[in-house]
């Protein structure tokens, strides 16, 4: 049985129960004691009619709980009706309403129920239901019995409503947590895309700009070639500026979700691709000496291999940009359980060299390392060199 069908069944049962209680109360009130004569007064008829209205209004108790509860309180508080409709409406009121309105409604329903039980206990014994479980011998016993009965009758819908409210709150908070996790995942994806764009495009465009600058100098005797090289260099610089703006957008909120069924991502570089990276740097004019001491490089986790490649890629790009003509010493060592260390050392230029770039290189490197639980140190050393050292954890695979 689905939730909607169950709600309809519960509503039908609630309306019939309230109607039955109102007609039963009307019949007992209108019967002349000691006879079979039925002689209701106008007040009894008005009370019964109001009870019917209250019973029908229970259909909308979930939509307008306060209004329905207020209508259901009229027969027991102002007339001679029963409080069945008010008790049923109380369950919806406590489920949807909080604060002082919830507890005010609960108190009014309790008073209405106590009055209804008190009136029932005041009928002659053959027409009283309350006398089946409470004493009416004295006024004090009748008062205590009506109070206790009203407390029990009110507590049942109150507890039901509180439980329903708690379940609804739990579902709402669960949905909020799921939405928050999705938002965090989207932000992480944004940061990852920003890093990848910088590492890939920034590296290539920087090399292109440097090579175009060198070509512009060496082909100074050929005006057309020099102009073409200048155009390439200018375009590369503009592209890096555009890249910086795009990365800024990706790092901000509101990036849409990746569509399902889209193209698959290209394979990410690993530790085994580091020699190719060094070869490309050498072809760009960077003098690099490399020391690689890796144990079980092929077993390195994919995120670790990609991070190591991107970190070294950024370091070599920075050397080409900010220290042109300087040689770089690269050391990559580590293994499972011992961690992975990447160290790049180059001589500092005597004067700062302006170079185009996205301005987010070390920021992206630090983000990568932080996500993997590693550390990064980058800065000038006392011996006139610039040292970048990244340490990454490399967890040994369990046998």
């Amino acid at each position: 049985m689905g939730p909607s069908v169950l709600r309809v069944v519960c509503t039908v049962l609630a309306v019939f129960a309230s109607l039955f209680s109102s007609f039963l109360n009307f019949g007992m009130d209108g019967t002349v004691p000691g006879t079979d004569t039925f002689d209701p007064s106008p007040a009894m008829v008005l009370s019964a009619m109001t009870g019917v209205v209250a019973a029908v209004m229970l259909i909308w108790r979930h939509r307008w709980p306060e209004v329905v509860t207020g209508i259901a309180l009229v027969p027991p508080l102002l007339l001679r009706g029963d409080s069945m409709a008010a008790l049923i409406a109380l369950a919806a009121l406590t489920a949807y309403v909080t604060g002082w309105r919830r507890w005010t409604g609960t108190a009014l329903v309790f008073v209405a129920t106590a009055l209804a039980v008190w009136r029932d206990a005041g009928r002659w014994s053959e027409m009283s239901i309350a006398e089946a479980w409470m004493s009416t011998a004295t006024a004090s016993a009748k008062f205590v019995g009506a109070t206790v009965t009203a407390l029990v009758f009110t507590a049942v819908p109150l507890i039901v409503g509180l439980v329903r409210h708690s379940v609804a709150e739990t579902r709402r908070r669960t949905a909020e947590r799921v939405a928050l996790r999705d938002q965090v995942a989207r932000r992480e994806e944004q940061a990852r895309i920003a890093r990848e764009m910088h590492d890939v495009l920034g590296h290539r465009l920087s090399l292109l700009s440097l090579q175009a600058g060198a070509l512009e100098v060496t082909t100074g005797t050929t005006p057309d070639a020099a102009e073409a090289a200048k155009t390439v260099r200018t375009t590369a610089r503009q592209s890096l500026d555009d890249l910086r703006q795009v990365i800024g957008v990706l790092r901000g909120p509101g990036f849409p979700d990746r569509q399902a069924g889209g193209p698959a991502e290209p394979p990410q570089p690993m530790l085994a691709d580091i020699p190719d990276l060094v070869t490309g740097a050498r072809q760009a004019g960077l003098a690099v000496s490399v020391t690689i001491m890796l144990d079980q490089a092929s077993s390195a986790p994919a995120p670790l291999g990609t991070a190591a490649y991107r970190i070294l890629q950024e370091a070599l790009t920075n050397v080409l940009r900010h220290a042109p003509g300087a040689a770089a010493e690269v050391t990559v060592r580590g293994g499972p359980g011992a961690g992975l260390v990447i160290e790049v050392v180059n001589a500092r230029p005597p004067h700062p060299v302006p170079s185009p770039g996205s301005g987010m290189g070390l920021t992206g490197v630090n983000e990568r390392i932080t996500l993997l639980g590693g550390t990064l140190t980058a800065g000038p050393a006392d011996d006139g060199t610039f040292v970048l050292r990244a340490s990454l954890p490399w967890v040994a695979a369990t046998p």
Side-chain angles (χ1 to χ4, degrees):
M1 182 181 296
S4 58
V5 176
L6 181 61
R7 174 169 289 192
V8 171
V9 171
C10 291
T11 298
V12 171
L13 293 176
V15 171
F16 275 103
S18 183
L19 288 174
F20 175 78
S21 181
S22 296
F23 289 138
L24 180 62
N25 182 75
F26 177 61
M28 291 188 297
D29 272 348
T31 300
V32 179
T35 67
D36 294 333
T37 305
F38 183 68
D39 186 20
S41 64
M44 296 177 186
V45 175
L46 179 60
S47 179
M49 293 176 61
T50 309
V52 171
V53 174
V56 174
M57 287 298 297
L58 291 177
I59 297 174
W60 297 281
R61 68 191 186 280
H62 297 293
R63 181 176 300 179
W64 305 306
E66 295 171 281
V67 174
V68 174
T69 302
I71 294 174
L73 285 170
V74 172
L77 285 180
L78 303 181
L79 301 171
R80 295 181 54 85
D82 67 292
S83 63
M84 177 64 74
L87 290 170
I88 296 174
L90 178 62
L93 180 72
T94 54
Y96 294 103
V97 178
T98 60
W100 65 270
R101 293 178 298 173
R102 169 192 285 174
W103 302 113
T104 300
T106 302
L108 291 175
V109 172
F110 165 74
V111 172
T113 304
L115 288 175
V117 174
W118 177 274
R119 285 192 297 266
D120 182 77
R123 298 191 185 103
W124 57 300
S125 58
E126 293 183 4
M127 289 295 173
S128 175
I129 299 176
E131 286 190 7
W133 65 81
M134 58 181 283
S135 173
T136 59
T138 62
S140 59
K142 182 179 175 182
F143 175 80
V144 172
T147 302
V148 173
T149 301
L151 283 173
V152 174
F153 284 2
T154 306
V156 173
L158 176 63
I159 293 174
V160 171
L162 291 176
V163 169
R164 291 179 57 191
H165 178 78
S166 177
V167 171
E169 280 295 302
T170 301
R171 290 175 179 173
R172 182 184 63 82
R173 292 173 182 174
T174 300
E176 289 179 352
R177 285 195 295 269
V178 171
L180 181 60
R181 284 198 298 267
D182 292 342
Q183 183 179 2
V184 171
R186 288 195 296 270
R187 294 300 301 272
E188 291 178 351
E189 179 71 358
Q190 290 175 226
R192 188 191 68 81
I193 293 174
R195 289 193 301 269
E196 293 298 329
M197 287 186 63
H198 174 270
D199 293 341
V200 177
L201 297 180
H203 176 72
R204 300 300 182 188
L205 291 174
S206 296
L207 294 179
L208 177 62
S209 178
L210 291 169
Q211 292 172 347
L215 182 62
E216 183 179 0
V217 173
T218 58
T219 58
T221 57
T222 309
D224 293 340
E227 184 64 25
K230 181 178 179 181
T231 301
V232 171
R233 181 169 57 85
T234 303
T235 302
R237 185 186 297 272
Q238 293 174 349
S239 298
L240 284 170
D241 292 338
D242 294 338
L243 176 63
R244 180 174 61 251
Q245 296 177 2
V246 173
I247 291 176
V249 172
L250 287 175
R251 290 182 183 272
F255 186 71
D257 293 334
R258 183 188 300 273
Q259 295 182 354
E265 294 186 359
Q268 297 299 312
M270 302 296 292
L271 291 177
D273 298 314
I274 288 179
D276 294 335
L277 175 64
V278 173
T279 300
R282 286 171 175 165
Q283 292 174 350
L286 178 62
V288 186
S289 61
V290 183
T291 302
I292 299 179
M293 295 180 293
L294 294 176
D295 182 22
Q296 302 179 25
S298 60
S299 65
L304 177 64
T306 301
Y309 183 95
R310 297 304 186 195
I311 292 168
L312 183 57
Q313 183 182 55
E314 177 61 30
L316 296 178
T317 301
N318 285 340
V319 175
L320 281 168
R321 284 207 308 253
H322 303 294
E329 297 181 5
V330 176
T331 303
V332 182
R333 65 179 186 272
L340 180 66
V341 176
I342 302 171
E343 189 174 79
V344 180
V345 181
N346 64 274
R348 297 201 311 269
H351 303 288
V353 179
S355 176
S358 67
M360 296 183 180
L362 289 181
T363 299
V365 168
N366 192 43
E367 287 179 355
R368 284 184 180 276
I369 296 173
T370 302
L371 287 175
L372 294 177
T375 58
L376 170 69
T377 57
D382 296 336
D383 58 355
T385 61
F386 186 92
V387 180
L388 182 145
R389 190 175 190 274
S391 298
L392 299 172
W394 186 343
V395 180
T398 56

